[in-house]
Amino acid sequence: AQSVTQLGSHVSVSEGALVLLRCNYSSSVPPYLFWYVQYPNQGLQLLLKYTTGATLVKGINGFEAEFKKSETSFHLTKPSAHMSDAAEYFCAVSEQNQGGKLIFGQGTELSVKP
Amino acid sequence: NAGVTQTPKFQVLKTGQSMTLQCAQDMNHNSMYWYRQDPGMGLRLIYYSASEGTTDKGEVPNGYNVSRLNKREFSLRLESAAPSQTSVYFCASRGSLGQPTYHQAFFGQGTRLTVV
C-alpha cells in the first residue's frame, strides 16, 4: 500500500526566505511523485512531478523538488518566498501504471510574512 | 476547453437524504477520481476508475457508490447522507498514456456539501 506523510501541517516563512516543505512516501514499487498547490476555494494545480530520469525536478513558480530513493523523500523547495506563494501544498504518490491510485498527504499550509 | 466540471458547487442535505454529485471531463482521459477534503486530513480517495467500465475502492469508500457512465462522466452517490459526510468533494481526471499530460491530475472546483 502507498502512503504519504507531510511533516508540518503549517509552515511560516518571511518573504525572501527559503521555503522547505517536507514529504516522505511509502511504496512497495517505484513510485511517481507529485506536488500540488491549492489556493483558497479552488481546486488543486500541479506544481511539478517526478516520473523517471533526473531526480531533481523543476516546476512552476520557481519551485523544485528532489527525489531521494534512499530517504524515501520528495521535499519541495523554493530559494526565495513570495507573498503569492501563500497556499496549501500537497504531496502525492502513485504507482507506475496507468490509472492507478493517486494518494495524497495531509497537506502543508504555507504562510509568508512581509 | 472546460477541463473537469463538477455540479453542484454547494449543497445542503438532511440526514438520510440521497444525492448524486456529477463530474465530467472533456480531455479524453481514461482515469477519474473522487476525493473528499477535510481540515487536517488532506485529500482522501473515495473511489477511482482506471478506465470506462471499471471502478475501484479508495481509502474511504464506505457510504458512497460511483458510476462510470461513459468515458467523460464519473458520478458519486450518497444513498443515505450522514453528518460525517459533510466535506468538500473533488473530482479529478488524469492524463492517459500517449498524452502530453500523462500522469498529471486535473481537478474540478469542488462541491461543498453540508449534511444537517
Side-chain angles (χ1 to χ4, degrees):
Chain A
Q2 298 167 305
S3 66
V4 176
T5 301
Q6 291 183 237
L7 298 177
S9 59
H10 188 264
V11 170
S12 182
V13 301
S14 297
E15 191 172 20
L18 172 71
V19 175
L20 171 60
L21 304 183
R22 300 178 187 274
C23 172
N24 287 89
Y25 69 91
S26 172
S27 178
S28 58
V29 297
Y32 289 155
L33 295 160
F34 309 84
W35 276 100
Y36 284 81
V37 61
Q38 184 182 33
Y39 298 102
N41 300 314
Q42 295 188 23
L44 278 70
Q45 305 171 33
L46 181 71
L47 270 180
L48 48 79
K49 64 180 179 181
Y50 168 78
T51 54
T52 58
T55 56
L56 180 63
V57 293
K58 296 185 185 300
I60 61 172
N61 302 336
F63 284 94
E64 61 182 37
E66 185 171 12
F67 170 56
K68 292 187 176 180
K69 184 177 179 180
S70 61
E71 298 178 8
T72 60
S73 69
F74 191 58
H75 301 330
L76 181 72
T77 61
K78 182 175 180 177
S80 177
H82 192 273
M83 297 296 290
S84 61
D85 294 328
E88 189 153 22
Y89 292 80
F90 293 93
C91 183
V93 62
S94 75
E95 295 177 349
Q96 289 188 13
N97 63 313
Q98 186 177 199
K101 289 183 182 180
L102 179 62
I103 303 298
F104 284 82
Q106 304 92 322
T108 298
E109 184 177 355
L110 176 66
S111 300
V112 182
K113 298 175 292 186
Chain B
N1 192 340
V4 179
T5 303
Q6 290 182 236
T7 56
K9 288 185 170 52
F10 301 92
Q11 183 71 49
V12 179
L13 289 179
K14 294 182 179 179
T15 298
Q17 286 185 319
S18 63
M19 80 161 293
T20 299
L21 281 64
Q22 306 286 353
C23 176
Q25 53 92 9
D26 61 2
M27 295 173 282
N28 200 35
H29 289 168
N30 286 327
S31 305
M32 297 185 73
Y33 303 79
W34 275 106
Y35 294 89
R36 59 178 291 172
Q37 183 176 22
D38 303 288
M41 306 288 285
L43 275 77
R44 292 181 290 170
L45 181 63
I46 305 172
Y47 272 93
Y48 68 105
S49 171
S51 62
E52 184 179 354
T54 69
T55 61
D56 284 288
K57 294 179 180 179
E59 302 167 283
V60 289
N62 291 345
Y64 305 95
N65 285 300
V66 290
S67 295
R68 184 71 183 269
L69 305 171
N70 47 55
K71 193 171 187 178
R72 290 188 64 248
E73 299 171 288
F74 188 39
S75 62
L76 179 71
R77 183 162 178 83
L78 287 70
E79 291 291 352
S80 179
S84 61
Q85 294 178 305
T86 293
S87 188
V88 180
Y89 291 84
F90 285 99
C91 177
S93 69
R94 206 164 168 205
S96 304
L97 183 65
Q99 294 181 323
T101 55
Y102 184 36
H103 293 302
Q104 180 178 343
F106 293 81
F107 285 79
Q109 292 298 298
T111 296
R112 191 172 296 273
L113 175 66
T114 301
V115 183
V116 298

